Amino acid sequence: MNINKRVVKHPYRTFGIISTFLVILGIFIGILIYRENKKQQELYLESELKSFSSKMNSILATYEVFSKYIFEESVNKEEVLSLMNRANSGNEEEKNIERKKLYEILKNNYRNITRYNFRQLHFHLANGDSFIRFHSPKKFGDNLTSDREGIKIVVEEKKFIKGFEEGNFFNGYRFIYPIFYENNYIGSVEVSISMATLIEIITDLYKELDVFFIMDGNIVEKIVFDDMMGNYEKSEIFQNYYFDKEVKEVSLRNTKVFNNKKLKEFFQDTDINERLKNNENFSFIKKIDNEYYLAQFISIKNICNNHVAYMMSISKTNQYKDIFSKYLLIFFLIILIVLISI
């Protein structure tokens, strides 16, 4: 009788051991699948962020080449250089005469470059004073070295410099060239594009993207002239950030999905404003109405490599959904195999 009891109990004990082992194995495999899924999602987000940044840098590199052509063909000429040389040593009346001459010489060139989305052509004297803004010829004489780090560097180091900067009138991605006459430094000239140009080209080439640009409010309020603040509006979504109105208009004109209202809906119930405080690149996925959307934020650094703005894109993402679905299917298959095995 005792022997029979042991024989009867043994299969149940074995079944319990094997079942427990299978459950533990299933849980272990499930954890591995979950971790691999998270890893693949993170790799996807990182890859897309790099791709978005690469798109922007490629466009800016093209405009840098174009700006050099403008400098060589329109600015680096005897007529312009000798005029700038006289302006540096002249009194105010003489400066005004040379300023009018320069405007007449280059006004047609300026009109032409604006057709190719350049926003500004701005000459500065050797000490950093604004000599003539072709986008606003009546505003001149203010010294730019205190507000514009790019101008300060060119004055001190007399070298070409490029990068994003907020200005007293407009922000822009600037290409600043030092000007020399008979080997003497006589000032500089900047050619710049609006970030609207960048957005227009990106959304034209990559039609799946909606792209927006927001600027750090502290920078805007510190640098922009009071009578120019009308060019900006405070964001209702992103705390302490401003939209450049002209740039925002281009963004909304080129959006496929996210108008102003939908932007608010998308970012509600997110920690977006906490993440913006880090001033670094980031991205995340949000699911709305059974669709996955990818939001990407590229930190825009100024000439001194300090964060001043974000370029943001939103797009539908089927790839993320595919990654999620694949690993979810694998997980359920493992569970099914465990149950069948038990």
Side-chain angles (χ1 to χ4, degrees):
M1 291 293 291
N2 291 336
I3 292 172
N4 289 337
K5 281 184 181 181
R6 284 197 297 271
V7 171
V8 171
K9 286 182 179 180
H10 181 71
Y12 292 101
R13 199 160 47 243
T14 303
F15 173 78
I17 293 169
I18 293 173
S19 297
T20 302
F21 172 75
L22 289 171
V23 169
I24 292 171
L25 180 63
I27 291 171
F28 177 71
I29 294 173
I31 291 171
L32 289 180
I33 291 170
Y34 173 79
R35 287 182 175 176
E36 182 62 22
N37 179 35
K38 293 296 288 182
K39 180 182 175 182
Q40 291 300 319
Q41 290 172 2
E42 288 168 4
L43 287 173
Y44 167 71
L45 290 176
E46 184 180 334
S47 171
E48 288 298 303
L49 208 55
K50 286 181 180 178
S51 175
F52 183 37
S53 180
S54 177
K55 289 177 175 69
M56 291 196 304
N57 290 334
S58 296
I59 294 167
L60 291 173
T62 301
Y63 269 94
E64 181 180 348
V65 173
F66 198 175
S67 76
K68 187 173 182 180
Y69 172 80
I70 293 167
F71 174 74
E72 294 295 345
E73 291 300 312
S74 300
V75 177
N76 202 23
K77 302 290 184 182
E78 171 66 26
E79 184 180 24
V80 174
L81 298 180
S82 59
L83 185 154
M84 286 294 292
N85 184 55
R86 292 193 299 272
N88 270 280
S89 57
N91 57 35
E92 286 306 311
E93 184 179 346
E94 290 167 336
K95 281 184 173 66
N96 283 330
I97 292 170
E98 301 300 343
R99 185 178 293 110
K100 290 174 183 176
K101 285 181 183 177
L102 183 58
Y103 184 78
E104 289 302 316
I105 293 169
L106 294 179
K107 65 180 181 182
N108 290 332
N109 301 63
Y110 176 66
R111 289 196 195 102
N112 287 333
I113 68 172
T114 57
R115 293 174 190 163
Y116 294 95
N117 297 314
F118 282 97
R119 194 180 206 180
Q120 293 167 304
L121 179 64
H122 188 181
F123 284 80
H124 327 106
L125 297 176
N127 65 352
D129 284 354
S130 170
F131 183 61
I132 182 170
R133 296 173 168 95
F134 276 77
H135 55 282
S136 185
K138 294 181 180 179
K139 282 272 191 177
F140 55 82
D142 49 308
N143 189 272
L144 303 169
T145 54
S146 58
D147 292 333
R148 296 278 310 282
E149 195 65 33
I151 303 299
K152 182 180 177 182
I153 292 171
V154 174
V155 168
E156 292 176 352
E157 302 182 24
K158 300 170 179 54
K159 67 177 184 179
F160 166 75
I161 197 163
K162 62 181 179 180
F164 179 84
E165 256 193 325
E166 178 57 79
N168 301 132
F169 284 73
F170 296 110
N171 60 78
Y173 196 91
R174 306 175 191 276
F175 307 97
I176 311 174
Y177 293 86
I179 302 173
F180 297 90
Y181 184 70
E182 296 178 350
N183 296 323
N184 296 315
Y185 176 71
I186 57 171
S188 57
V189 61
E190 68 177 270
V191 187
S192 71
I193 61 169
S194 166
M195 301 311 273
T197 298
L198 201 55
I199 290 171
E200 214 153 22
I201 296 173
I202 290 174
T203 52
D204 185 51
L205 293 175
Y206 307 98
K207 301 191 183 300
E208 73 279 8
L209 296 176
D210 287 354
V211 183
F212 298 85
F213 178 70
I214 54 175
M215 286 206 60
D216 187 312
N218 294 326
I219 303 296
V220 174
E221 291 167 4
K222 177 184 175 183
I223 297 176
V224 177
F225 286 148
D226 290 342
D227 58 342
M228 292 291 112
M229 282 298 292
N231 293 327
Y232 296 84
E233 67 175 65
K234 278 189 176 180
S235 171
E236 297 177 354
I237 306 167
F238 310 112
Q239 292 174 7
N240 200 34
Y241 276 84
Y242 278 81
F243 283 107
D244 177 317
K245 288 181 180 178
E246 180 186 317
V247 179
K248 183 182 180 183
E249 184 181 331
V250 170
S251 292
L252 293 175
R253 191 167 65 237
N254 287 279
T255 56
K256 275 69 71 178
V257 179
F258 284 88
N259 56 30
N260 221 20
K261 182 180 178 182
K262 286 192 175 182
L263 269 180
K264 291 179 187 177
E265 292 173 359
F266 182 83
F267 286 107
Q268 67 183 8
D269 304 323
T270 68
D271 62 346
I272 186 62
N273 286 302
E274 286 303 311
R275 302 189 74 168
L276 289 174
K277 291 176 183 177
N278 294 326
N279 299 338
E280 298 293 339
N281 297 349
F282 67 93
S283 60
F284 63 90
I285 301 286
K286 186 171 181 180
K287 187 178 180 182
I288 301 177
D289 298 330
N290 211 33
E291 291 282 357
Y292 288 91
Y293 293 89
L294 169 65
Q296 301 182 95
F297 287 77
I298 298 289
S299 171
I300 303 297
K301 312 288 187 184
N302 65 9
I303 285 170
C304 295
N305 204 36
N306 296 319
H307 170 83
V308 291
Y310 274 109
M311 189 68 81
M312 172 188 75
S313 77
I314 305 178
S315 59
K316 284 185 181 180
T317 171
N318 292 323
Q319 191 173 343
Y320 181 89
K321 188 176 181 179
D322 293 342
I323 293 170
F324 180 78
S325 300
K326 181 179 77 172
Y327 283 97
L328 189 64
L329 178 62
I330 293 172
F331 178 75
F332 280 121
L333 284 174
I334 295 295
I335 296 297
L336 183 60
I337 290 169
V338 169
L339 290 174
I340 291 171
S341 300
I342 290 173

